[in-house]
Amino acid sequence: VCFDEFHFMNDPDRGTVWEESVISCPRSVRILALSATMGNVHDIKGWITSIHGPTELVLSEHRPVPLRYFFAMKQGLFPLFRDPNAGPGALQGVPKQDGNLAPGANINPTLTKLEDQFVRGGQAAKNVAASRAAGADTKGNFRGAFKGGGPSVQSLIPTYGTISEELLSLKKLPAIVFIFSRAGCEQAAKSITQGKLKLLTADEDEYVKNAVNAFVIANPDIPVAKGSIQMLRAGVGVHHAGLISVWKAFIEDLFNANKIKILFATETLAAGVNMPARTTVISTVTKRINSEVVKLKTSQLLQMAGRAGRRGKDTEGTVVIMRNRFEDVKMSHKILTSPTDGIKSHFKTSYGLCVKLLETKSLNDCKELIERGFGAYLLQKRAAKKMKENVVNNVEQHRKILQKYTLAGAREYLKLLRRMEKEKKNYEFLVSKMLKSEYELVQAIAEYMPVGIGIQLQNYEVGFFLGDVNWRSGTSFDGYGVITKEGQVLLARKEHIRSFADTEDCIPPKTAQTLLELVSLCNEWEEVAIENCQTPLLVGAYPPNEVFNDVKIQNALDTLSSRDPFPSPPQSPGSIIKQKSILKSMEEQLKKHPISLAVEEGEGERVIDALRYASTLKDPVAFANEKTKKLTSGEEDAYAGGEIFAWKMFQNVYQILQKFEALKGTNATDLGEMVGSLSSDNELWLALVLRHPSVQTLNAAEFGAVICSVVVDGYKAGNAFFKDPPSATIKSVLKELEPVQWELQSEQTDALIDFPVHLSVDAAGMVESWVRGTSWRELCKETSLDQGDICRMLRRTVEALRQIPNAYGVPPNVAQLSYEAAQRMDRFPVADFAEVLGSDPSLAAAAVDGDVKKSTAGLGFEFGGTAQSADGFDSDVEESERNLLLQQFLDEDEENEFQSGDSEDLLASDGVNQRVDDLNAFLDSIQSDDNENDDPFSAAITRSVSAADLKAKKRKEQQIRRESEALEVDDDMDSKENDSILEDMEALLFEVEEDGGLGSYIDEETEGYEGYEEIEDDSGGVR
């Protein structure tokens, strides 16, 4: 068994599948695990050795196309390392000397000098603060500090346009630019498209134009934005999870054909998609995860960097890391030179796995199997190391501590401590969000605020707003004048302002204008650094004599003493106030805890150390309860050896299955058998839903919508717009499922199990609409979700629906509902054409070679008579596989006829043969225009158009049948009249096609058929 990209075992969601596969492999099966970004390879080797026998580790740092690293600034591209050939995957690698980085692996001095020139803003403020703290005189005339000073950080930040121009001039294209947001990718691509940069030649532009036209003809149901086509015509592309798969495949084909020169993509492109480029550009080395901004792991950065360099085309791959406002070259250098992060165990025991294991194994056998996991191996290894490192007396000290405060008390204290840290982070997050909102508001309204209004600065100093201050000629200004209640004059910028008071809390505008004259009287200014501000606040000093002699200014200053800039301090949002009260409550709980006294006495750290030690033991409770004993040197504690979370989780899953009566002892009930035969994120939840009485009364559309609600994460749907809400029946059923959801969620929370228990109503209406036959184009109009998200949700639903009829104990009516819903949902583009290829191995080879004739023949387009051996199916292909392929090209009625056994007559029928003849003629017309038979992209376009043409014809016929079935025909109308109606509709429909072509027909379809109308006859029927 070959495991490519073995580091996927580190994925929190998918990693458990990899680990379970390794554990389950018999010892007789050889395993080959491949990875280019895996740190703890010796641990992996030791683990596989422990469960499979002797294992060899093959290490190689050779890279067929070496990398070269650059750091991008506004001034240009510079080698990131002192030695241009240093870096991970480069010719010299990351050289070490005496355990440290060798000189060649250090940062390029040119970059360091450029960074050092950043003397303005934060660094300048720190210097001033440090000088003042040292007692130095920082007073002086600092008028130039605000304007015309040294370079700022903004002068170091490159744009995507400047980098694109540089790469084009250096002949470093095509390039993939990694940006960690969909909106960021779209915005960056748009900026390049609207620029003057010319990336494509005239021939390449013509190629892209024809390719796009072919795609639109081949996929008439897929909405393609005009902006996306403009991007492609400019040689720019976008690739992210919000795009539908057929369009992403089209983008990948264009990129591999070198017709997209710059591709903006999210990090999903770095894994699993074979799209190497000459250059990769990494826009940032941090990413936002939920509410936190975290640094990229070394393996993540190297995974993206590794896309650079095309084997057989490039002599080296170029990796460019961009400077931005918050990330300098030091951060990028540190990540690149750090050891690759190691693999961790993410093994989870699902409900289905637990049931299946207990079918054939005892609890002891299950424990033995679970303890073959990677987590158990690492824990046992760590415990053995601790036993060697720990002095025997320390072990006994841990035991005494836990006996003094009890194991339960220590656990409770640690739990409170961790929750306290979490709540603090939540509070800090809320405060940062509030500050950000206030900052954005100030940025928007500062220029429009009336003079004289109360103002609060970032250092919480308050005063009155005096308006713009102009130091030089022209309309530009250095900042805003501010005066405190005590008469202190300040010169501030937008970034220094925290908030404004209410408009009624003002001094008169004339008074403010008079006080503004004090700014020009100031002859000395002092810089004051303010945290998180790039420029210092200026504090002015004016001669007292000049002010004392000016009655007008003196009267204005006297006015200040009777005014308060902020009569009522700004109130914090309710969420922050609530979070503060939670923190206060947590602090009180911690103070009351017995171990808090131990913390004051200096024992708190020892309690935590003891608890950590106990957590590595097989039985912490027995260890803590045993009487203190002396161990001789070298003797191991009887309880050491590696209890693992995976086994605890198995026990918790086992107990929940018993609580919900899916297991009696270790034997599965009917519910348990159903759980064991399902596969989802939470098999127990899905089984409980399928057995619920309210679900069994639904129709197919409603059933599909409910299944989507319980198997698909509703996060994206919860933030999206949907035109059509779910029906009242669906809402009622989901309401009835809420108590079941709450009960299961509560049990899981108590057992520290985090399997999702979805119940999202948001997307149910969209799924219901799709099951009822709404076209893809119309479906996309009804929601703000990206096409990729819609398709992914529908596919997850179809996957769940497909397995339900085969699950144990599913009621027949529920199985039928599931089958019907899956059949109606599984249509293009939810059912990719790639799925039609079946299992014929010749098709994959034909696709790679660009052999369109062989590819289409392998699908059995020539159904009738004689073509099924030479140009059709291979003689050794099983009859069942051939039939499965043939079914893909039949409509619903034909498929029923096929399944009933009348396949021979059906495949020789005029309707099917005509469809095949039309398709073959269509193929011939495309192939006759194709002068580049060796171009795999042209072959891919041909295959795509061929498939879509066939599917379009099939969909049209199905649409005709649906419309004809919808006609309300009198009971006494004979079959000839029915046939006449159908023939009239077919004739009109194909007239539309002949007039405007396939694309025109689809466009008219979105507006409704215009080729016929409903006419009420004398008897009240509708024709």
Side-chain angles (χ1 to χ4, degrees):
V1 178
C2 298
F3 292 89
D4 196 12
E5 309 288 2
F6 194 73
H7 51 268
F8 280 166
M9 198 176 98
N10 216 20
D11 187 282
D13 298 319
R14 297 177 292 176
T16 181
V17 180
W18 295 75
E19 191 169 348
E20 185 180 335
S21 301
V22 174
I23 293 171
S24 304
C25 267
R27 291 178 70 95
S28 59
V29 173
R30 288 189 169 191
I31 290 177
L32 180 64
L34 307 171
S35 174
T37 53
M38 192 161 62
N40 52 343
V41 287
H42 293 282
D43 287 337
I44 295 292
K45 175 192 173 182
W47 170 53
I48 297 179
T49 299
S50 69
I51 60 177
H52 281 282
T55 303
E56 293 298 325
L57 176 62
V58 181
L59 288 173
S60 172
E61 295 186 2
H62 170 70
R63 182 181 169 88
V65 183
L67 300 177
R68 181 168 289 199
Y69 291 86
F70 290 85
F71 195 73
M73 290 185 171
K74 200 169 188 178
Q75 291 73 13
L77 300 181
F78 303 91
L80 195 151
F81 294 94
R82 181 188 290 269
D83 180 354
N85 291 318
L91 286 172
Q92 301 296 330
V94 183
K96 297 288 181 73
Q97 185 175 311
D98 300 328
N100 299 316
L101 292 178
N106 291 328
I107 298 174
N108 181 1
T110 304
L111 292 170
T112 307
K113 288 178 183 177
L114 280 170
E115 293 283 356
D116 287 343
Q117 289 176 18
F118 172 48
V119 294
R120 188 180 175 186
Q123 189 60 47
K126 290 176 184 176
N127 293 340
V128 171
S131 300
R132 191 163 48 250
D137 184 8
T138 60
K139 290 189 176 182
N141 193 334
F142 289 100
R143 293 183 179 182
F146 261 81
K147 204 168 186 82
S152 68
V153 66
Q154 198 63 38
S155 65
L156 299 176
I157 299 173
T159 65
Y160 294 115
T162 57
I163 290 180
S164 300
E165 289 176 8
E166 187 90 5
L167 293 176
L168 179 62
S169 65
L170 295 173
K171 297 182 179 180
K172 295 291 186 182
L173 298 178
I176 299 174
V177 183
F178 287 104
I179 302 176
F180 298 131
S181 75
R182 300 179 188 180
C185 289
E186 298 282 354
Q187 188 175 357
K190 189 176 180 181
S191 69
I192 301 296
T193 304
Q194 294 174 346
K196 297 181 180 179
L197 193 63
K198 188 170 179 61
L199 298 173
L200 298 182
T201 65
D203 289 343
E204 288 174 330
D205 178 57
E206 186 67 21
Y207 184 101
V208 172
K209 177 184 174 182
N210 293 335
V212 171
N213 288 339
F215 179 89
V216 173
I217 294 173
N219 301 279
D221 279 352
I222 305 298
V224 179
K226 185 178 180 181
S228 298
I229 297 175
Q230 290 173 340
M231 288 178 189
L232 294 180
R233 296 288 298 275
V236 180
V238 172
H239 191 289
H240 55 68
L243 303 176
I244 196 165
S245 56
V246 66
W247 179 256
K248 282 198 290 186
F250 176 66
I251 295 293
E252 290 163 14
D253 285 333
L254 272 179
F255 187 82
N256 287 329
N258 199 21
K259 299 304 183 289
I260 292 178
K261 305 299 182 181
I262 302 176
L263 181 67
F264 293 93
T266 54
E267 72 272 25
T268 53
L269 184 66
V273 181
N274 185 24
M275 283 179 61
R278 180 168 293 172
T279 300
T280 58
V281 180
I282 300 166
S283 62
T284 174
V285 293
T286 60
K287 62 183 295 188
R288 181 174 292 278
I289 299 179
N290 297 325
S291 60
E292 294 184 72
V293 176
V294 298
K295 291 181 184 178
L296 293 179
K297 295 178 181 177
T298 302
S299 62
Q300 292 172 322
L301 186 56
L302 294 182
Q303 193 74 32
M304 290 183 284
R307 288 293 164 191
R310 298 168 298 176
R311 194 169 187 171
K313 293 184 179 181
D314 302 321
T315 56
E316 68 176 23
T318 303
V319 181
V320 178
I321 302 178
M322 294 176 63
R323 173 68 156 94
N324 64 39
R325 184 177 176 185
F326 304 105
E327 300 165 15
D328 58 12
V329 66
K330 292 179 181 178
M331 186 181 293
S332 301
H333 180 265
K334 184 175 181 180
I335 296 174
L336 285 171
T337 55
S338 297
T340 307
D341 42 296
I343 302 292
K344 296 179 181 178
S345 174
H346 295 281
F347 185 81
K348 297 177 182 177
T349 303
S350 66
Y351 292 113
L353 178 62
C354 182
V355 171
K356 284 182 276 191
L357 287 177
L358 289 172
E359 285 178 356
T360 57
K361 300 180 184 298
S362 66
L363 280 173
N364 286 335
D365 292 336
C366 290
K367 182 178 182 182
E368 185 179 338
L369 181 68
I370 297 297
E371 289 183 343
R372 287 161 55 91
F374 186 50
Y377 172 81
L378 290 179
L379 193 59
Q380 289 163 1
K381 185 178 176 182
R382 188 165 63 245
K385 184 179 179 182
K386 280 193 175 184
M387 287 302 297
K388 290 179 181 178
E389 292 175 351
N390 269 322
V391 181
V392 174
N393 290 338
N394 285 352
V395 175
E396 287 307 313
Q397 187 181 47
H398 293 330
R399 199 193 310 271
K400 286 179 180 178
I401 287 285
L402 293 177
Q403 288 177 347
K404 179 179 179 181
Y405 297 105
T406 75
L407 182 63
R411 281 176 170 169
E412 183 186 7
Y413 177 76
L414 188 60
K415 187 177 179 181
L416 281 172
L417 208 60
R418 286 175 176 169
R419 190 184 164 197
M420 181 75 172
E421 291 172 359
K422 183 179 179 182
E423 298 297 347
K424 275 184 179 177
K425 285 184 178 179
N426 291 341
Y427 175 74
E428 290 167 359
F429 171 71
L430 289 172
V431 171
S432 68
K433 290 284 284 184
M434 179 191 71
L435 294 177
K436 183 181 177 183
S437 299
E438 289 179 349
Y439 175 79
E440 290 173 350
L441 179 63
V442 166
Q443 297 296 303
I445 67 174
E447 296 175 9
Y448 307 99
M449 297 309 292
V451 295
I453 194 170
I455 188 173
Q456 185 182 49
L457 303 180
Q458 295 289 359
N459 59 0
Y460 294 97
E461 194 164 3
V462 296
F464 293 98
F465 183 66
L466 302 181
D468 301 349
V469 175
N470 299 311
W471 278 115
R472 294 171 177 79
S473 60
T475 56
S476 63
F477 63 91
D478 295 285
Y480 301 104
V482 177
I483 190 165
T484 65
K485 190 174 181 179
E486 293 76 23
Q488 179 72 67
V489 176
L490 309 174
L491 191 58
R493 287 208 168 201
K494 281 184 183 180
E495 64 173 338
H496 301 137
I497 303 172
R498 179 179 292 274
S499 60
F500 290 98
D502 293 333
T503 52
E504 59 265 21
D505 302 323
C506 293
I507 58 174
K510 288 186 177 180
T511 303
Q513 290 173 4
T514 301
L515 293 172
L516 188 59
E517 297 176 15
L518 288 170
V519 175
S520 60
L521 295 177
C522 291
N523 54 12
E524 288 186 349
W525 293 90
E526 180 184 3
E527 286 185 339
V528 176
I530 295 184
E531 189 177 358
N532 297 326
C533 292
Q534 293 189 25
T535 54
L537 179 73
L538 296 186
V539 180
Y542 47 82
N545 292 336
E546 293 188 31
V547 175
F548 183 76
N549 294 331
D550 192 321
V551 178
K552 189 177 179 183
I553 293 179
Q554 193 61 51
N555 290 337
L557 287 171
D558 292 340
T559 305
L560 295 178
S561 59
S562 61
R563 299 297 181 107
D564 192 343
F566 271 83
S568 52
Q571 291 293 319
S572 298
S575 57
I576 292 181
I577 296 173
K578 183 179 179 181
Q579 191 64 25
K580 254 188 175 179
S581 66
I582 292 174
L583 276 176
K584 188 175 180 181
S585 173
M586 295 290 302
E587 287 171 357
E588 290 176 356
Q589 288 184 57
L590 277 171
K591 283 181 182 178
K592 293 177 183 178
H593 200 282
I595 297 181
S596 293
L597 301 174
V599 172
E600 293 173 6
E601 296 170 4
E603 280 194 347
E605 196 62 37
R606 289 198 290 273
V607 170
I608 294 173
D609 286 342
L611 193 58
R612 284 173 178 161
Y613 174 78
S615 68
T616 67
L617 307 180
K618 279 186 177 180
D619 195 341
V621 177
F623 166 77
N625 291 338
E626 181 155 335
K627 293 181 180 179
T628 302
K629 65 177 183 177
K630 290 186 178 182
L631 299 177
T632 59
S633 182
E635 181 183 359
E636 290 189 359
D637 193 294
Y639 301 102
E643 171 72 336
I644 59 168
F645 174 76
W647 174 241
K648 293 177 185 175
M649 184 178 184
F650 182 93
Q651 292 174 305
N652 292 340
V653 167
Y654 171 67
Q655 290 170 4
I656 290 178
L657 287 168
Q658 287 184 316
K659 286 182 180 178
F660 282 87
E661 299 182 350
L663 289 176
K664 283 189 176 179
T666 59
N667 297 320
T669 62
D670 287 345
L671 175 60
E673 294 282 5
M674 184 185 294
V675 170
S677 61
L678 293 171
S679 177
S680 72
D681 291 339
N682 192 325
E683 298 90 350
L684 178 57
W685 170 230
L686 181 56
L688 290 171
V689 169
L690 294 176
R691 289 171 63 92
H692 199 277
S694 62
V695 172
Q696 301 179 28
T697 61
L698 303 173
N699 59 39
E702 294 164 344
F703 184 80
V706 169
I707 294 301
C708 176
S709 300
V710 301
V711 300
V712 175
D713 181 7
Y715 170 73
K716 284 194 176 294
N719 295 287
F721 158 78
F722 293 95
K723 181 181 177 183
D724 295 328
S727 64
T729 303
I730 293 175
K731 290 180 179 178
S732 174
V733 170
L734 295 180
K735 193 74 175 174
E736 291 183 41
L737 290 173
E738 282 180 2
V740 185
Q741 179 206 26
W742 183 87
E743 183 183 3
L744 179 56
Q745 187 69 69
S746 299
E747 292 291 345
Q748 289 190 169
T749 302
D750 293 342
L752 301 178
I753 292 175
D754 61 351
F755 295 138
V757 189
H758 300 308
L759 194 62
S760 171
V761 69
D762 301 288
M766 180 186 71
V767 177
E768 188 178 11
S769 182
W770 180 247
V771 178
R772 294 190 190 281
T774 300
S775 71
W776 182 259
R777 188 177 289 268
E778 286 299 318
L779 195 72
C780 293
K781 290 180 182 178
E782 295 175 0
T783 176
S784 61
L785 283 175
D786 290 336
Q787 291 190 62
D789 294 324
I790 300 172
C791 194
R792 197 157 36 252
M793 293 173 67
L794 295 177
R795 283 181 177 175
R796 288 290 306 275
T797 305
V798 171
E799 287 171 8
L801 289 169
R802 278 176 175 168
Q803 59 175 309
I804 290 172
N806 300 320
Y808 178 91
V810 173
N813 63 320
V814 173
Q816 183 61 31
L817 285 174
S818 184
Y819 175 78
E820 289 179 13
Q823 287 292 97
R824 295 184 191 178
M825 291 183 70
D826 199 21
R827 50 195 169 97
F828 186 80
V830 175
D832 239 352
F833 178 67
E835 296 174 9
V836 178
L837 296 181
S839 56
D840 186 355
S842 66
L843 301 179
V848 172
D849 296 337
D851 188 348
V852 183
K853 197 77 173 179
K854 182 178 180 183
S855 176
T856 54
L859 285 170
F861 287 140
E862 299 185 25
F863 290 125
T866 61
Q868 295 180 5
S869 56
D871 292 330
F873 295 96
D874 295 337
S875 57
D876 58 344
V877 175
E878 293 292 337
E879 184 75 14
S880 59
E881 292 184 357
R882 181 175 72 87
N883 290 344
L884 184 62
L885 288 174
L886 297 182
Q887 283 183 260
Q888 303 292 335
F889 299 92
L890 308 178
D891 64 24
E892 293 174 5
D893 295 339
E894 291 169 343
E895 186 174 344
N896 294 332
E897 188 178 347
F898 183 88
Q899 291 177 343
S900 68
D902 299 331
S903 58
E904 190 172 334
D905 293 339
L906 175 64
L907 297 180
S909 66
D910 292 339
V912 174
N913 277 322
Q914 181 61 48
R915 190 151 66 240
V916 173
D917 291 342
D918 290 344
L919 180 61
N920 284 330
F922 186 70
L923 281 174
D924 291 338
S925 68
I926 292 176
Q927 288 175 301
S928 64
D929 295 334
D930 184 11
N931 298 320
E932 298 180 344
N933 292 326
D934 59 341
D935 182 357
F937 177 70
S938 298
I941 284 290
T942 304
R943 290 195 303 277
S944 179
V945 173
S946 308
D949 183 73
L950 181 67
K951 283 183 172 291
K953 289 178 180 295
K954 178 178 171 182
R955 286 198 300 272
K956 285 187 293 186
E957 292 184 12
Q958 290 175 332
Q959 179 70 21
I960 293 167
R961 294 179 188 280
R962 280 197 294 270
E963 296 288 350
S964 64
E965 289 168 1
L967 295 175
E968 297 176 11
V969 184
D970 286 352
D971 293 336
D972 58 353
M973 185 180 291
D974 59 22
S975 60
K976 289 183 180 179
E977 290 189 56
N978 277 328
D979 291 340
S980 175
I981 291 172
L982 184 57
E983 287 170 5
D984 289 344
M985 290 176 64
E986 287 178 339
L988 289 168
L989 191 58
F990 285 106
E991 280 176 15
V992 172
E993 183 186 5
E994 288 172 4
D995 289 342
L998 184 59
S1000 172
Y1001 158 69
I1002 293 297
D1003 289 339
E1004 290 192 32
E1005 181 187 31
T1006 62
E1007 302 298 327
Y1009 292 116
E1010 298 177 358
Y1012 70 93
E1013 59 183 353
E1014 293 182 353
I1015 302 172
E1016 185 173 345
D1017 60 21
D1018 296 337
S1019 60
V1022 175
R1023 298 183 59 180

